[in-house]
Amino acid sequence: MTSPASRRTLLKALACAGLAGAGFPMAARAQSFPQAFSSFSVDVSALKDKGLGPFADLVGAAALDELRRSFADRVDSRGPRLVLRLTSVTMTAFPDNSSGYKGRGGGGNSGHDALEGEALAVGRRGEVLASHPMLAVLDVNTSPLTPNEQGRAVAVAQHYVRWLRRQI
């Protein structure tokens, strides 16, 4: 049986390789993504299907606002639409970056908020010209007494779009 230390080292190495893009065709797809867009929109229907309702609208509005700001220099009326389809948002129950009682135990998402989705370049006839799936994770370090879920949701949406800008 593998010791916990070597198992952790192996998982860390795999995570680093994944973050660097080693062995994944993501970079090739991202290069074929159009560089200019005629408009921007955010689809939060998957989040609403999960029962997030107004919270999904908040995340979508924050992402749309950041899309317009981050991609302002890449607007061209001849380009396709950039549609952001957000599929999952995860807010940690331990916003102070701990993982339970005195830092021991607890869940696997401690101290991190995450947003998952896909960027789509959509042509004039509604055809998907390119897609780029992405997961953005943001460290959280706020007091559990004032968790500020709305502020954290806006921050993770902005983080997602800023990383998307770097990727495509």
Side-chain angles (χ1 to χ4, degrees), residues 17-89:
L19 291 174
F24 296 100
M26 297 291 278
R29 284 198 305 205
Q31 289 173 352
S32 65
F33 216 89
Q35 294 302 299
F37 307 99
S38 61
S39 63
F40 307 103
S41 65
V42 178
D43 175 11
V44 293
S45 59
L47 298 179
K48 287 187 173 187
D49 290 346
K50 294 177 181 179
L52 295 179
F55 193 75
D57 292 332
L58 172 73
V59 172
L64 183 58
D65 184 51
E66 191 60 35
L67 275 172
R68 290 178 177 146
R69 187 176 13 262
S70 294
F71 287 88
D73 63 331
R74 291 172 60 176
V75 174
D76 183 349
S77 60
R78 299 169 293 176
R81 285 184 305 132
L82 177 58
V83 177
L84 201 58
R85 182 185 303 153
L86 301 178
T87 56
S88 176
V89 62

Side-chain angles (χ1 to χ4, degrees), residues 91-166:
M91 307 292 286
T92 183
F94 302 103
D96 64 344
N97 225 359
S98 68
S99 57
Y101 179 71
K102 293 187 180 179
R104 293 186 211 111
N109 187 35
S110 298
H112 307 290
D113 291 340
L115 186 59
E116 186 173 9
E118 181 177 28
L120 304 169
V122 179
R124 299 221 183 270
R125 294 181 299 254
E127 73 278 15
V128 175
L129 304 173
S131 69
H132 182 75
M134 195 174 84
L135 169 68
V137 178
L138 183 63
D139 287 337
V140 178
N141 195 12
T142 63
S143 168
L145 300 175
T146 56
N148 188 15
E149 284 90 0
Q150 291 180 340
R152 288 171 39 207
V154 169
V156 76
Q158 291 170 337
H159 179 72
Y160 183 97
V161 172
R162 290 172 188 156
W163 267 107
L164 179 65
R165 165 70 190 215
R166 292 179 188 126

